[in-house]
Amino acid sequence: MPSFYTFHKLNILISLLLAFILSSCAGSGKTVTAEGLLDNARRLEKKDPQAALLTLDSIHESFPRDIKSRRQADTIEWRIELIQAITSLPHVDSMLRVDSAKLEKIKVNFNYSPASEYQDIGIWEHRVFRTENNTSRNYLKPTVNDNGDIVLISFYVGREAVHTTLTISIDGMERHTGVADDVSSFNDGGVFHEFLSFNDDLETGITAYITDTDGEKVTVMLRGENDYSYDMNSRDREAFGETMKLAVLLHEIHEFATQQTKFSRQIELLNQRLYNTVEHD
C-alpha cells in the first residue's frame, strides 16, 4: 500500500502540474478562463486523458465558484473515467480467467474448507499437513485463505513447554516472529499438545523466508518456558513452496476480482451520471 510520503509527493506533483498549466496560459499573454481550460481539456480528452484530467482539476482549483464550468468539467471527467474503466475491464477479466486456470492445476495438492458461520472465507491446507496424519509429530504448517492471507501454525507434542514465539534458522541466518496471535493447548494422558498461530506476511514473512532459501537445513526453534527445536524435513519444505505459490495466486485473483467489481460498478455509475447530465441539459 502506498505510504503517506508517496501520497504527499503525488499531491505536490499534481500541484506543480496545475501551476504549470496555469502559468503556461498566463505566459501566452492571454487571460486564463474556465472556458479556455474547458476547451483545452476537450482537445486533450482523447489524445492525452491524464493531461485533460489535470486541466479539469485546475478548473476546480482556480474557479471554485464557477458552478456551471465545474459541472461541465465533471462531465468531461466522467467521460474519460468511463472510457478508462471500459478499456480496463476486459484485461482484468482476461487475467482472472488465466489465474483461475492456474488455480485448477495447483489446487489438486490442497484440501479446501469452505466458509462457515465461524469463518468469512474459505481456507486452503496442503495435503501433507492434514492434522489426522500428523498427530504425533512436531511441525510447522502454513494455511491460506481465499484472499491469499497466510496463517502459520506450529504443532508441538511433548512435555509442557508454554511456547510464545518461534525462530527459523537457515544456514546460521535467523528470522523471528512476534508473540503468537493465538495459543491453545491440552494435556492428553501426560502428553502435552500445543498450537501457536501467527499471521504471516505474504512477501516478508516466515513462509516466504523458508520458500526462498536454498539452504540445506531449516531449523524451527520454539521459544518459551522450555525451548525446543527440530529440523524441517524435505517433504514439508516442498509443501511450503507449493503453499507459497498458491498464496501468491490467490492474492492476485483477489486483487483482480476487486478491480473487476470496481470497474463494473464504476461503469454503471458513470453511465447513469452521464445519462442524467444529458437528460437535464
Side-chain angles (χ1 to χ4, degrees), residues 182-212:
D182 185 64
V183 179
S184 60
S185 61
F186 68 90
N187 193 322
D188 182 18
V191 179
F192 188 75
H193 296 256
E194 183 179 67
F195 315 95
L196 306 179
S197 296
F198 303 87
N199 293 318
D200 201 30
D201 186 86
L202 180 63
E203 296 182 354
T204 61
I206 294 296
T207 304
Y209 181 57
I210 293 172
T211 301
D212 292 342

Side-chain angles (χ1 to χ4, degrees), residues 261-272:
T261 300
K262 170 193 168 184
F263 288 135
S264 296
R265 290 177 177 173
Q266 194 174 25
I267 290 169
E268 181 180 359
L269 175 63
L270 292 171
N271 271 322
Q272 186 62 49

Side-chain angles (χ1 to χ4, degrees), residues 33-36 38 42 56 59-60 63 65-76:
T33 65
E35 187 57 40
L38 282 170
R42 292 187 186 101
L56 295 169
I59 295 173
H60 294 296
F63 304 95
R65 296 183 181 180
D66 190 340
I67 304 303
K68 181 179 178 181
S69 294
R70 293 184 64 189
R71 284 178 176 171
Q72 292 180 62
D74 284 339
T75 299
I76 299 171

Side-chain angles (χ1 to χ4, degrees), residues 95-252:
M95 295 306 298
L96 265 176
R97 287 193 295 271
V98 170
D99 280 354
S100 296
K102 292 179 182 178
L103 180 60
E104 287 300 311
K105 293 180 179 180
I106 196 174
K107 74 178 186 181
V108 296
N109 292 326
F110 292 84
N111 294 315
Y112 179 66
S113 301
S116 66
E117 60 179 313
Y118 305 107
Q119 296 174 329
D120 295 329
I121 49 182
I123 303 295
W124 299 79
E125 174 187 282
H126 199 285
R127 295 181 185 276
V128 163
F129 298 121
R130 292 185 66 171
T131 303
E132 56 267 34
N133 297 333
N134 296 279
T135 56
S136 61
R137 75 180 182 107
N138 299 303
Y139 69 104
L140 194 63
K141 79 169 181 182
T143 63
V144 185
N145 68 19
D146 287 330
N147 294 341
D149 302 318
I150 301 174
V151 172
L152 200 61
I153 306 174
S154 166
F155 291 80
Y156 167 81
V157 181
R159 67 188 181 113
E160 188 168 359
V162 192
H163 300 126
T164 56
T165 66
L166 67 82
T167 298
I168 300 297
S169 176
I170 302 175
D171 295 340
M173 301 295 292
E174 295 184 349
R175 179 70 61 86
H176 309 276
T177 67
V179 176
D181 296 288
D182 185 64
V183 179
S184 60
S185 61
F186 68 90
N187 193 322
D188 182 18
V191 179
F192 188 75
H193 296 256
E194 183 179 67
F195 315 95
L196 306 179
S197 296
F198 303 87
N199 293 318
D200 201 30
D201 186 86
L202 180 63
E203 296 182 354
T204 61
I206 294 296
T207 304
Y209 181 57
I210 293 172
T211 301
D212 292 342
T213 182
D214 293 324
E216 294 184 359
K217 186 170 72 171
V218 177
T219 301
V220 180
M221 297 178 282
L222 298 169
R223 307 295 193 187
E225 292 185 7
N226 294 296
D227 293 351
Y228 182 85
S229 65
Y230 59 91
D231 294 335
M232 186 179 292
N233 63 45
S234 58
R235 186 182 64 166
D236 285 3
R237 290 178 65 176
E238 184 178 346
F240 257 79
E242 292 178 357
T243 302
M244 187 65 189
K245 289 179 181 178
L246 176 66
V248 171
L249 181 60
L250 289 172
H251 176 74
E252 191 170 276

